């Protein structure tokens, strides 16, 4: 089993930045792709970024394109999500999840963290 713990959330004014961390436990964490999701009240869960197990390919949602940078540090079992120029509509609980590619276009996320709250004020 892989356990994930997010941190780095908080309150920030519009235009500010935050860096979220996702620390994975277990010896197999580095074998998984990691996605960052957000869940806002009244909205469906949205994948905002993903990085593969090697840290060589990334994905960013159009809703936050250009404002995110995802990276991973294998030595620290940590995946980071740098968020810049935050907007009030970015307010949500942000969760990381570890998964594996099942088809060329579909990931199955197997392990989830509890989430960290990000609040962006206008």
């Amino acid at each position: 089993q892989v356990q994930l713990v997010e941190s780095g959330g908080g309150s920030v004014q519009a235009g500010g930045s935050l860096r979220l961390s996702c620390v994975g436990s277990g010896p197999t964490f580095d074998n998984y792709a990691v996605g960052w999701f957000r869940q806002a009240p009244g909205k469906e869960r949205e994948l905002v970024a993903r990085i593969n197990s090697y840290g060589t390919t990334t994905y960013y949602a159009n809703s936050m394109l250009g404002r995110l940078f995802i990276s991973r540090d294998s030595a620290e079992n940590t995946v980071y999500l740098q968020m810049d120029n935050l907007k009030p509509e970015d307010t949500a609980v942000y969760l990381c999840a570890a998964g594996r590619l099942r088809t060329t276009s579909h990931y199955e996320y197997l392990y989830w963290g509890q989430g960290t709250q990000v609040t962006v004020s206008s």
Side-chain angles (χ1 to χ4, degrees):
Q1 291 286 323
V2 174
Q3 294 187 350
L4 307 174
V5 179
E6 303 96 333
S7 64
S11 298
V12 65
Q13 290 184 310
S17 299
L18 288 171
R19 189 180 73 161
L20 307 183
S21 298
C22 174
V23 179
S25 65
T28 63
F29 177 68
D30 287 344
N31 295 329
Y32 292 91
V34 173
W36 278 99
F37 296 78
R38 66 183 182 184
Q39 179 70 64
K43 296 182 179 180
E44 295 184 353
R45 186 175 61 202
E46 177 187 19
L47 173 70
V48 298
R50 181 178 59 240
I51 189 167
N52 72 347
S53 60
Y54 295 101
T56 54
T57 61
T58 58
Y59 164 84
Y60 300 100
N62 287 336
S63 58
M64 299 188 75
L65 189 64
R67 301 188 292 121
L68 298 179
F69 180 72
I70 188 170
S71 61
R72 69 190 303 163
D73 185 340
S74 295
E76 299 294 332
N77 289 334
T78 302
V79 174
Y80 300 98
L81 184 67
Q82 177 69 40
M83 305 191 296
D84 297 320
N85 192 23
L86 287 165
K87 306 177 184 298
E89 53 263 39
D90 296 322
T91 296
V93 174
Y94 284 73
L95 310 95
C96 65
R100 286 178 172 170
L101 186 67
R102 298 304 187 191
T103 69
T104 57
S105 60
H106 177 72
Y107 281 83
E108 181 182 13
Y109 294 95
L110 304 174
Y111 308 102
W112 293 80
Q114 294 296 308
T116 183
Q117 177 70 45
V118 171
T119 302
V120 184
S121 60
S122 60

